[in-house]
């Protein structure tokens, strides 16, 4: 099973600042990585697939990068609606499909 | 637009059974792979099961293998999760998610249904 590790667990950022989230895989997942955003009481929302391909309707201030075992999600200028929990998921080698533990982006 | 609506959650005693449903609309259900993913209270996401577009191939997380069964009825545009021998650790919000054409990630998700296993 591929283990996905996200860091940090919590990120405190002021509105307008840049946020950088990390996701590491226990073995290479190539570029087969997705990112999701989840707000309290809501379902996850797809942000990126293939590590860097933006899903429909995702603003350009979000960017994804990486391949192999190291991945990054960057939010260039945090807006109020961006405060949420973010999850990465690998789909290169399954079953099982595996998620990281999440990074909570909170208001500083 | 794509819609996924889960139902069937509730409170159930340990060892009992429950069947979840996910009604799909806004896309050609019979051509998509589908998924169940769960989230225990205050915890992260955990993949549960996946079924091929025609129902012939099914995959499960080890934590539910032998107890849960994923199925689908393409004539009714509905996905199911039959959960037997439920345990307290199965308590979670269960989401159904459509699996994208371009890879095994969820591109659309339902709002979830809460299953609570407690005596």
């Amino acid at each position: 099973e591929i283990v996905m590790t996200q860091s940090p667990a919590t990120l405190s950022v002021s509105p307008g600042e840049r946020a950088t989230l990390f996701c590491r895989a226990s073995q290479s997942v190539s570029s087969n990585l997705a990112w999701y955003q989840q707000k309290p009481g809501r379902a996850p929302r797809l942000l990126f697939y293939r590590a860097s391909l933006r899903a429909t309707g995702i603003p350009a201030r979000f960017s994804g990068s990486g391949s192999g075992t190291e991945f990054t999600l960057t939010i260039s200028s945090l807006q109020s609606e961006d405060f949420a929990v973010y999850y990465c998921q690998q789909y290169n080698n399954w079953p099982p499909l595996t998620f990281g533990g999440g990074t909570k982006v909170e208001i500083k | 637009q794509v819609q996924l609506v889960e139902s069937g959650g509730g409170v159930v005693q340990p060892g009992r059974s429950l069947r979840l449903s996910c009604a799909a609309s806004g896309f050609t259900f019979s051509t998509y792979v589908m998924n169940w993913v769960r989230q225990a209270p205050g915890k992260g996401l955990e993949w549960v099961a996946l079924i091929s577009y025609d129902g012939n191939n099914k995959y499960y997380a080890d934590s539910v293998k032998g107890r849960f069964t994923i199925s689908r009825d393409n004539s009714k545009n509905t996905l199911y999760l039959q959960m037997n021998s439920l345990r307290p650790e199965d308590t979670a919000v269960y989401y159904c998610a459509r699996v994208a054409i371009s890879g095994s990630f969820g591109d659309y998700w339902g709002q979830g249904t809460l299953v609570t296993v407690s005596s």
Side-chain angles (χ1 to χ4, degrees):
Chain A
E1 171 176 332
I2 296 178
V3 177
M4 306 301 293
T5 303
Q6 290 186 242
S7 62
T10 304
L11 188 59
S12 298
V13 186
S14 299
E17 288 189 340
R18 181 186 194 91
T20 304
L21 290 65
F22 301 97
C23 175
R24 173 176 290 176
S26 60
Q27 64 189 77
S28 177
V29 298
S30 185
S31 294
N32 294 315
L33 183 107
W35 287 97
Y36 303 91
Q37 177 193 64
Q38 188 179 34
K39 296 180 180 179
R42 305 288 298 274
R45 173 195 184 194
L46 178 67
L47 296 177
F48 289 92
Y49 60 99
R50 286 294 283 180
S52 62
L53 298 181
R54 211 175 278 113
T56 304
I58 304 304
R61 64 180 180 273
F62 289 88
S63 62
S65 64
S67 65
T69 62
E70 304 284 341
F71 300 88
T72 302
L73 172 67
T74 302
I75 312 170
S76 60
S77 176
L78 269 158
Q79 306 298 303
S80 57
E81 62 266 30
D82 302 335
F83 292 97
V85 180
Y86 293 83
Y87 294 95
C88 60
Q89 179 224 323
Q90 70 83 20
Y91 53 95
N92 189 66
N93 192 337
W94 63 275
L97 294 164
T98 49
F99 292 88
T103 292
K104 180 180 181 181
V105 177
E106 64 177 24
I107 300 174
K108 187 174 183 180
Chain B
Q1 73 281 21
V2 173
Q3 277 202 305
L4 298 166
V5 180
E6 301 95 335
S7 60
V11 180
V12 61
Q13 293 179 327
R16 304 297 290 264
S17 299
L18 205 60
R19 189 177 83 156
L20 305 183
S21 300
C22 171
S25 60
F27 65 102
T28 306
F29 179 72
S30 61
T31 64
Y32 279 86
V33 176
M34 297 295 294
N35 239 355
W36 287 99
V37 176
R38 69 184 180 183
Q39 186 170 37
K43 303 296 184 182
L45 301 170
E46 180 189 15
W47 171 74
V48 173
L50 179 148
I51 187 167
S52 61
Y53 70 97
D54 58 1
N56 286 340
N57 296 290
K58 304 175 185 182
Y59 305 89
Y60 299 94
D62 285 347
S63 58
V64 306
K65 201 174 294 182
R67 300 188 299 122
F68 289 13
T69 301
I70 189 172
S71 63
R72 64 192 297 160
D73 186 337
N74 286 342
S75 69
K76 295 182 178 179
N77 290 344
T78 303
L79 176 72
Y80 302 102
L81 186 67
Q82 177 67 43
M83 304 185 294
N84 299 333
S85 303
L86 282 160
R87 305 167 179 168
E89 56 265 35
D90 295 319
T91 294
V93 174
Y94 285 74
Y95 296 101
C96 71
R98 190 180 83 168
V99 175
I101 296 289
S102 50
S104 297
F105 56 90
D107 60 356
Y108 286 93
W109 297 61
Q111 85 288 351
T113 187
L114 176 62
V115 173
T116 303
V117 184
S118 173
S119 53

